[in-house]
Amino acid sequence: MQPATDGVATHALTTHAMATIGGETMGTTWSVKVVVSKHADLHALHAGIQGRLDQVVQQMSTWRSDSDIARYNQSMAGSWIRIPAEFFSVLACALGIAADTDGAFDPTIGPLVGLWGFGADARPQAPADAVDLVDVQAGIGWRRIELDSESHSVRQPGGMHLDLSAIAKGFGVDHVVAYLRESGIASALVEVGGELYGYGHKPDGSAWRVLVEAAPDTDDAGGEPRVLVLDGNAVATSGDRWHHYDVPGDDGNGRRYSHTIDPHSGQPVACALSTVTVVASDAMHADAWATALTVLGMDAGMQIAQRNGLAVRFLGIDADGPCERMSDAFRAHLHA
Ligand code: AMP
Ligand code: MG
């Protein structure tokens, strides 16, 4: 997903203009478009944004051995670990979505992600032994995580490895948006690794607009392009376009392994299935739901979306070629 290029207008008001700044975080990139006074200190703004994202990494990255999440993952069975407020609220949100999806989304998925060769100790290969899979699967489970909201503590039942990769990028977007609002920025489009939040208006007075992918797993713009209006809301996309690996099978036909794993089967979600786009009032929920709905698949996912009023679009391939399904709430966000 990318900001609509026709949105990068040069109709600057006399006092304000649009500026774009960016950097790296969470193994991906970030970019922020802001509408600021021509005298604004963009270096200070850049440092402030990077600082917020570094804070998310320091708390929630399983790629760092000194992060708060790594400290939790290494802690002794039965201990209560006090964690920072941001980490606590992301974990609470993740557990809520785990409950809403009957565990299709599961923040304790870490060991399964590792077993399939994704995550911090990446080694692209399928598990060598089916026994490993059963053992690892038995050790995960969001229901075993207990929170104490008074002390912002989380209990380690023993061997539990949290993985917030499916939700932390979205939270990073929200965290940056909060910083920009606190800094008096009246309009911005914030992106971390493809997850976006837009608020306010561009110098020409129009709202932020973004393009979403037209056709699954292809650069061919066969489908109708979709333009979303972001005006105080977020959009996230989950799919396997960039995150998968192929392993040649004995029969010569390869199998593609996705980095999104179904906790119930212990298996990666079949690739080509779909790209899911979710619009929500914050990027943390949009990001988590996009992953959850990828696990649930188009039929079960659309049912949950309609029931909960979620704004969701599935893009997949069926026997007749590319197919697209949108919930009613998603249609409401489309640019006419
Ligand atoms: P995303 O790109 O937001 O869909 O997040 C994908 C990442 O989330 C993976 O690389 C895993 O670390 C993690 N993950 C995979 N499957 C699940 C799942 N069922 N529930 C929660 N997190 C998951
Ligand atoms: Mg996600």
Side-chain angles (χ1 to χ4, degrees):
M1 199 181 318
Q2 53 187 273
T5 44
D6 65 347
V8 187
T10 49
H11 312 269
L13 296 175
T14 43
T15 54
H16 282 68
M18 182 145 55
T20 305
I21 48 183
E24 291 180 7
T25 187
M26 303 184 215
T28 183
T29 55
W30 63 265
S31 78
V32 171
K33 291 182 192 298
V34 274
V35 178
V36 282
S37 124
K38 285 178 177 160
H39 308 293
D41 182 351
L42 290 177
H43 290 290
L45 208 54
H46 186 283
I49 293 168
Q50 189 68 56
R52 288 293 178 118
L53 292 169
D54 290 350
Q55 193 186 20
V56 178
V57 169
Q58 182 56 43
Q59 294 186 16
M60 297 172 229
S61 171
T62 45
W63 270 259
R64 290 187 65 138
S65 56
D66 64 345
S67 63
D68 293 293
I69 200 168
R71 188 167 52 89
Y72 171 84
N73 287 346
Q74 291 149 16
S75 59
M76 303 250 298
S79 51
W80 280 90
I81 310 298
R82 190 186 282 268
I83 59 174
E86 294 82 5
F87 180 5
F88 191 88
S89 69
V90 173
L91 181 55
C93 174
L95 292 172
I97 293 178
D100 287 347
T101 59
D102 191 26
F105 186 88
D106 191 335
T108 70
I109 193 108
L112 262 183
V113 172
L115 186 70
W116 284 97
F118 294 102
D121 307 312
R123 49 165 175 82
Q125 62 185 47
D129 196 331
V131 178
D132 289 350
L133 186 61
V134 173
D135 281 356
V136 169
Q137 210 179 349
I140 70 165
W142 62 276
R143 289 179 202 275
R144 291 172 58 209
I145 300 291
E146 289 172 70
L147 300 182
D148 176 27
S149 46
E150 292 280 299
S151 65
H152 278 177
S153 300
V154 50
R155 186 172 182 276
Q156 168 60 274
M160 211 44 107
H161 278 239
L162 294 175
D163 175 349
L164 294 175
S165 302
I167 186 171
K169 282 200 304 264
F171 175 75
V173 169
D174 296 335
H175 207 40
V176 168
V177 168
Y179 164 72
L180 294 174
R181 288 189 192 269
E182 281 161 25
S183 306
I185 303 292
S187 172
L189 181 66
V190 177
E191 182 257 337
V192 177
E195 324 295 24
L196 290 147
Y197 184 99
Y199 72 96
H201 293 101
K202 290 180 289 181
D204 68 0
S206 63
W208 300 100
R209 288 185 289 151
V210 298
L211 286 172
V212 291
E213 206 176 353
D217 211 19
T218 167
D219 290 325
D220 168 23
E224 204 182 320
R226 299 288 179 200
V227 178
L228 289 169
V229 178
L230 292 187
D231 192 359
N233 48 11
V235 60
T237 303
S238 203
D240 290 301
R241 223 163 153 189
W242 295 283
H243 306 285
H244 61 254
Y245 59 83
D246 298 303
V247 174
D250 296 338
D251 56 2
N253 293 320
R255 185 173 161 198
R256 182 169 275 202
Y257 293 101
S258 154
H259 76 148
T260 304
I261 295 172
D262 181 346
H264 295 303
S265 67
Q267 303 283 325
V269 171
C271 272
L273 260 188
S274 45
T275 298
V276 183
T277 304
V278 180
V279 180
S281 57
D282 64 47
M284 171 169 72
H285 283 86
D287 187 4
W289 273 108
T291 305
L293 293 164
T294 300
V295 174
L296 289 165
M298 201 183 276
D299 291 336
M302 281 303 292
Q303 269 181 26
I304 286 205
Q306 291 286 27
R307 204 165 51 230
N308 293 286
L310 300 174
V312 170
R313 180 187 76 148
F314 276 87
L315 194 59
I317 302 177
D318 64 15
D320 304 323
C323 66
E324 180 186 42
R325 276 167 75 184
M326 290 184 267
S327 68
D328 298 334
F330 188 90
R331 275 177 215 283
H333 292 286
L334 288 175
H335 181 66

